[in-house]
Amino acid sequence: MKIVAKTDIGLRRSSNQDSYAAGELPGSVAWAVVCDGMGGAAGGNYASSTAVKLISERISASYRVGMGSNSIRNMLISAITAANVSVYDISKANEELSGMGTTVVATIVSDGRAYVAHAGDSRAYILSDGNLRQITKDHSIVQEMVDRGRLTPDEAKDDPRKNIITRALGVSEELRIDFCEELIDEDDVLLICTDGLTNYIESNEICEITSDGNFYEYAERLVNRANENGGGDNITVVTVSY
């Protein structure tokens, strides 16, 4: 498995509230977690880093060679659920961290499949044959308006409400987590990222930047382009491929 990641503060923020972790498991299996914190500098940093740490620990402790789809799904959802409870309890116990939360995307790539669990507006994509396909759906006010036909996808890109999310880890005792399972071929790339990338770089740019097959340069190139296009937020990118 090949895994490359990069996080960057961007050009306008005073701290980086994104967190990520990634690695390999026995049996040529890759995993990754990306979180984008919210709730002030202290709260956002704490929520994202704590969630990443707890989810990573659960994945490392729970994964077993030969796990099937249902077992992987249950493992990811259980890990995110446990992190949600922990972050929520900490926010309630510490006034300085009250209201903190974080988006989350967690993935396992195994035996030609990508398993993805998420909440919030950080995203997962599959790059295949020069095409980019989003496999997560944002949990946001603007996405709900697109689904209802009240906004077009192009209008949604510039809508001032696009950063208002409807689900986040740590903001309530219960969290609805979406899960998807996608085929991933040998030459495909799984890309997971925070909105600091997707708000500052178009899909066609991502395809262009990754068109030459230099996998180990993708993450840095994408972060650099987001900064060139304004860099108005923290940027985190993780790429996984066989």
Side-chain angles (χ1 to χ4, degrees):
M1 298 300 297
K2 299 183 291 187
I3 307 167
V4 178
K6 185 175 179 62
T7 189
D8 190 85
I9 195 172
L11 302 180
R12 302 183 196 172
R13 297 297 177 92
S14 59
S15 65
N16 191 347
Q17 297 183 52
D18 288 358
S19 296
Y20 78 89
E24 290 191 63
L25 296 163
S28 298
V29 173
W31 65 272
V33 184
V34 168
C35 289
D36 180 358
M38 62 184 195
N45 290 337
Y46 192 90
S48 64
S49 61
T50 300
V52 165
K53 177 178 181 292
L54 294 173
I55 294 166
S56 301
E57 289 174 350
R58 282 285 188 121
I59 290 173
S60 297
S62 302
Y63 183 79
R64 299 289 182 271
V65 174
M67 289 179 78
S69 297
N70 286 337
S71 295
I72 292 174
R73 176 186 182 276
N74 291 338
M75 178 184 68
L76 289 175
I77 290 178
S78 175
I80 294 172
T81 299
N84 179 69
V85 171
S86 294
V87 173
Y88 177 75
D89 286 348
I90 292 166
S91 73
K92 289 300 180 184
N94 189 328
E95 187 175 336
E96 292 182 359
L97 300 176
S98 178
M100 69 176 175
T102 182
T103 69
V104 59
V105 181
T107 186
I108 296 284
V109 180
S110 173
D111 292 328
R113 292 182 181 272
Y115 305 90
V116 179
H118 87 289
D121 63 354
S122 294
R123 295 178 178 176
Y125 295 88
I126 290 179
L127 274 159
S128 182
D129 295 325
N131 297 308
L132 183 70
R133 179 166 58 91
Q134 185 177 339
I135 60 174
T136 55
K137 179 180 281 192
D138 294 352
H139 303 133
S140 67
I141 293 290
V142 165
Q143 183 61 53
E144 288 182 356
M145 295 178 72
V146 170
D147 292 343
R148 294 171 185 164
R150 295 171 61 188
L151 283 176
T152 67
D154 283 340
E155 289 171 338
K157 293 177 184 178
D158 299 317
D159 193 284
R161 298 161 293 187
K162 67 182 179 181
N163 292 325
I164 302 174
I165 58 176
T166 55
R167 298 188 210 173
L169 185 156
V171 299
S172 63
E173 289 183 281
E174 296 185 359
L175 175 64
R176 288 170 54 211
I177 302 160
D178 282 359
F179 176 84
C180 64
E181 176 183 333
E182 300 285 339
L183 293 174
I184 180 166
D185 293 332
E186 185 173 336
D187 295 327
D188 292 349
V189 175
L190 178 68
L191 164 68
I192 61 176
C193 59
T194 59
D195 66 350
L197 181 78
T198 52
N199 284 341
Y200 289 89
I201 184 168
E202 298 290 338
S203 295
N204 65 315
E205 290 182 279
I206 295 176
C207 293
E208 170 208 331
I209 288 167
T210 58
S211 62
D212 63 0
N214 291 324
F215 173 83
Y216 289 102
E217 297 182 14
Y218 290 172
E220 182 154 6
R221 288 179 183 177
L222 290 168
V223 168
N224 289 343
R225 180 65 63 87
N227 276 325
E228 289 168 8
N229 291 349
D233 200 353
N234 309 143
I235 312 155
T236 298
V237 175
V238 179
T239 53
V240 180
S241 186
Y242 284 100

